[in-house]
Amino acid sequence: MAKLIIKFNNEVVDHVELRQGDMKIGRKPGCEIFIDNLAISGEHANVFTVGDDSFIQDLGSTNGTFINNKKISKHHLKNGDAVVIGKHTLVFITETVRANKQPDDFAKTVIIPSARDANASITVETSLKDAPAPKTERLGAIFILSGVNSGKRIELTKKVTNLGKVGKRAGAINQIGDGYTLMPGEDETPKLNGKTVPREGMKLKNGDVIEVTSTRLQFYLK
């Protein structure tokens, strides 16, 4: 279980346990992590947790979001990280220790029920005939953010991972060199952080959110 310890003038004023999904930080009523201070924007930042991993993203705040004295737009939180917003410090604490585990070889189709239609589905598909992706220092993965499999992680162990409904290719994640690129599909075009992916594709960055049909996925680079 992960949590944020909220400090003001180096004194602990609150602690918040992080739940799965989005939790907004700000001084606007309704924010899951409410901090009433004029140095903090109404909706200052968002913490997104999926499985054992938590990410923080600045929401275009006036005074910015800082991690360990460095201004960030997006950041994968690690145990002990100090998030500074305004005059408050939020210390990220997690007790989860993950054992090293070899990723499964996803040679079969993984069915992800769609949030829009219970009878519809999207697939994340690889094939046995696909050659394994070249080894890189950092391995990519995607998290399923919606549907009954929300929170599930899929390692990107192939050169090409196809996305889409059963029988329809709505996009693909290609491993090129030491990075990953999201490409449009033959039948539909995915969105990356709310923007439609162009024909030439878009390079993926840690924490990027992919929308395929009515399903959201998040890209994670370990």
Side-chain angles (χ1 to χ4, degrees):
M1 177 68 70
K3 62 183 178 180
L4 290 173
I5 298 175
I6 303 175
K7 296 183 178 182
F8 182 73
N9 290 335
N10 215 29
E11 292 186 8
V12 176
V13 295
D14 199 2
H15 70 274
V16 177
E17 290 188 353
L18 299 179
R19 57 171 173 73
Q20 296 292 301
D22 297 298
M23 295 183 72
K24 286 183 179 177
I25 304 171
R27 59 184 175 87
K28 181 179 178 180
C31 286
E32 289 81 3
I33 304 174
F34 176 72
I35 303 177
D36 189 11
N37 188 285
L38 291 176
I40 296 174
S41 298
E43 291 184 349
H44 195 105
N46 184 67
V47 176
F48 179 80
T49 300
V50 57
D52 296 327
D53 295 274
S54 295
F55 302 83
I56 188 166
Q57 180 176 5
D58 185 82
L59 298 177
S61 64
T62 301
N63 294 321
T65 300
F66 297 81
I67 306 289
N68 305 326
N69 297 318
K70 182 180 178 181
K71 189 173 183 179
I72 60 94
S73 57
K74 273 188 269 187
H75 179 78
H76 179 207
L77 290 166
K78 300 177 181 61
N79 188 46
D81 276 351
V83 181
V84 177
I85 55 175
K87 298 180 180 179
H88 286 72
T89 300
L90 289 69
V91 182
F92 177 74
I93 301 294
T94 179
E95 297 175 355
T96 301
V97 178
R98 214 178 308 163
N100 290 329
K101 184 179 180 181
Q102 292 296 325
D104 294 331
D105 186 3
F106 283 86
K108 60 182 179 180
T109 299
V110 180
I111 304 297
I112 310 170
S114 169
R116 181 188 302 168
D117 183 351
N119 296 319
S121 62
I122 74 162
T123 62
V124 177
E125 184 181 48
T126 61
S127 170
L128 281 172
K129 67 182 179 180
D130 293 332
K135 291 184 178 179
T136 60
E137 293 184 1
R138 304 182 73 187
L139 180 67
I142 50 176
F143 292 102
I144 303 172
L145 306 184
S146 59
V148 295
N149 288 319
S150 178
K152 185 173 183 178
R153 180 173 63 191
I154 300 172
E155 306 286 352
L156 300 176
T157 60
K158 302 290 183 180
K159 287 183 178 180
V160 178
T161 300
N162 292 320
L163 309 172
K165 287 184 178 181
V166 177
K168 289 187 177 182
R169 184 182 171 192
I173 297 175
N174 297 345
Q175 186 173 17
I176 302 173
D178 60 353
Y180 293 83
T181 300
L182 179 63
M183 303 296 296
E186 298 169 355
D187 303 291
E188 296 182 36
T189 302
K191 290 184 178 180
L192 182 63
N193 300 322
K195 296 181 179 179
T196 301
V197 175
R199 185 164 56 182
E200 64 271 20
M202 296 176 72
K203 189 168 184 179
L204 290 167
K205 300 185 294 297
N206 195 32
D208 279 347
V209 174
I210 302 166
E211 296 175 55
V212 182
T213 64
S214 58
T215 300
R216 291 198 312 159
L217 311 167
Q218 186 161 41
F219 176 75
Y220 168 44
L221 193 60
K222 295 190 290 185

